[in-house]
Amino acid sequence: MIARVKDDRLALQTGAFDAQVSASMTAIVILSMVLTPLTTMAVGRFMPASTLDPDDADGVDRAENLRERVLIIGFGRFAQVVSQPLLARNVDVSIIDTDVEMIQAAGDFGFKVYYGDGARLDVLHASGAGKAETILVCVDKQETADRIVELVKSEFPLTKLFVRAYDRGHAIRLVQAGVEYQLRETFESALVFGEQVLIDLGFSADEASQTIEDVRRRDEERLSIQLVEGIMGGRSLMRGNIATTRPEPYIKPRREGTALNEEAAEALEEDEEREKAGA
């Protein structure tokens, strides 16, 4: 493109282009140079995670006529752990995902994952959503999870929904949508992490456990308030690292305060009477 700018300048010098045409062409070339990397980034941003064609990929089958008790949508790190207690109890599960490479890798570890977009109604039908007892929505994107919840609630109202929540705001939306259960993806692991920190700092296992239960209870209460008041509700239930208590003197003064005038003396007497009544 730099050579193209030099060619344009040469054309101007030889009289092939007039000044206005040359300026316009130079601007176009420069603009294209600026926009090329941006265009590449934009295309990459909206490209799917896997560019492999599922029909041509080895070991990949599209979801069709699945009829298991539990349907898992999305098989990333979260769902892979979730599947373990179900499989340990011999619960029949169907698993779908849109990442072809992940589906192939899962096969190496003994998982049969079908290709299918759970945000499409035809795929949900093919995946047995209408026959499943429970659907586990474990996708990464909250917008996709919301779309799946909307479809299932509309088309399969008797099917239970357990949904991985992205954050607190997403959890509130899921509760309002009527799912049976939602869990923020990092909540429980963060509590376990915090409990181990307390134990390492010298607190007993019982003390650490009681503290974690208190945090969990406060979080549940706060979420209930936020469902009514919005995301800023229930802030008083959170513990912050900014002191909010009223400061008290470290050492009590040796001499009691004395009134400087009659009005002050009356005020002190009223305070003393109130303290006695409160005691």
Side-chain angles (χ1 to χ4, degrees):
M1 290 187 178
I2 295 175
R4 177 64 181 274
V5 173
K6 292 180 178 178
D7 291 342
D8 291 345
R9 290 176 179 174
L10 180 61
L12 176 62
Q13 294 173 357
T14 59
F17 295 154
D18 61 25
Q20 183 176 1
V21 172
S22 178
S24 298
M25 295 188 65
T26 301
I28 292 172
V29 171
I30 294 174
L31 184 61
S32 66
M33 292 170 65
V34 173
L35 292 181
T36 296
L38 298 178
T39 304
T40 302
M41 291 173 61
V43 171
R45 172 66 179 82
F46 293 102
M47 286 292 287
S50 175
T51 57
L52 295 177
D53 186 345
D55 293 329
D56 297 332
D58 294 334
V60 178
D61 298 321
R62 290 183 179 273
E64 186 176 3
N65 298 322
L66 306 183
R67 294 291 185 272
E68 306 298 351
R69 185 177 180 184
V70 173
L71 170 62
I72 299 178
I73 303 176
F75 201 60
R77 65 188 190 282
F78 185 89
Q80 290 165 19
V81 177
V82 170
S83 69
Q84 292 303 289
L86 301 177
L87 297 172
R89 287 293 180 177
N90 295 319
V91 176
D92 294 328
V93 299
S94 296
I95 308 170
I96 65 173
D97 202 294
T98 56
D99 189 331
V100 173
E101 293 178 352
M102 189 284 303
I103 292 174
Q104 291 176 321
D108 296 334
F109 289 91
F111 291 98
K112 179 57 182 178
V113 181
Y114 294 88
Y115 181 86
D117 182 358
R120 290 177 45 176
L121 182 57
D122 60 332
V123 172
L124 288 175
H125 277 291
S127 301
K131 302 292 183 180
E133 180 179 330
T134 305
I135 295 177
L136 314 185
V137 183
C138 304
V139 296
D140 292 329
K141 295 182 179 179
Q142 54 184 316
E143 297 83 2
T144 304
D146 290 341
R147 174 58 178 165
I148 296 171
V149 169
E150 179 184 3
L151 285 174
V152 172
K153 280 294 180 181
S154 174
E155 301 294 330
F156 316 105
L158 299 181
T159 305
K160 297 177 182 178
L161 276 167
F162 281 56
V163 187
R164 165 195 184 182
Y166 176 77
D167 56 15
R168 194 172 198 87
H170 190 206
I172 291 173
R173 293 203 307 274
L174 292 173
V175 173
Q176 293 172 336
V179 304
E180 275 66 30
Y181 184 79
Q182 54 73 33
L183 178 68
R184 279 164 281 156
E185 56 188 9
T186 60
F187 181 68
E188 288 296 333
S189 59
L191 291 182
V192 173
F193 190 94
E195 184 175 5
Q196 292 304 310
V197 173
L198 289 176
I199 293 174
D200 185 71
L201 291 174
F203 295 91
S204 69
D206 287 341
E207 289 174 327
S209 177
Q210 290 173 8
T211 301
I212 295 301
E213 286 305 314
D214 179 67
V215 172
R216 183 180 281 106
R217 177 186 59 80
R218 284 171 172 265
D219 184 82
E220 291 175 355
E221 291 181 9
R222 182 176 167 226
L223 189 63
S224 297
I225 294 173
Q226 288 175 315
L227 288 170
V228 178
E229 299 181 3
I231 194 67
M232 298 302 292
R235 284 179 294 173
S236 61
L237 292 167
M238 290 189 68
R239 291 187 173 90
N241 63 346
I242 300 176
T244 57
T245 57
R246 182 179 178 180
E248 299 290 345
Y250 289 108
I251 301 175
K252 185 177 181 180
R254 294 181 180 179
R255 298 179 59 184
E256 298 292 339
T258 57
L260 299 179
N261 52 46
E262 294 182 0
E263 290 79 3
E266 291 177 359
L268 288 173
E269 290 178 2
E270 292 176 358
D271 288 340
E272 290 176 359
E273 291 177 359
R274 282 196 294 268
E275 290 179 1
K276 292 178 181 179

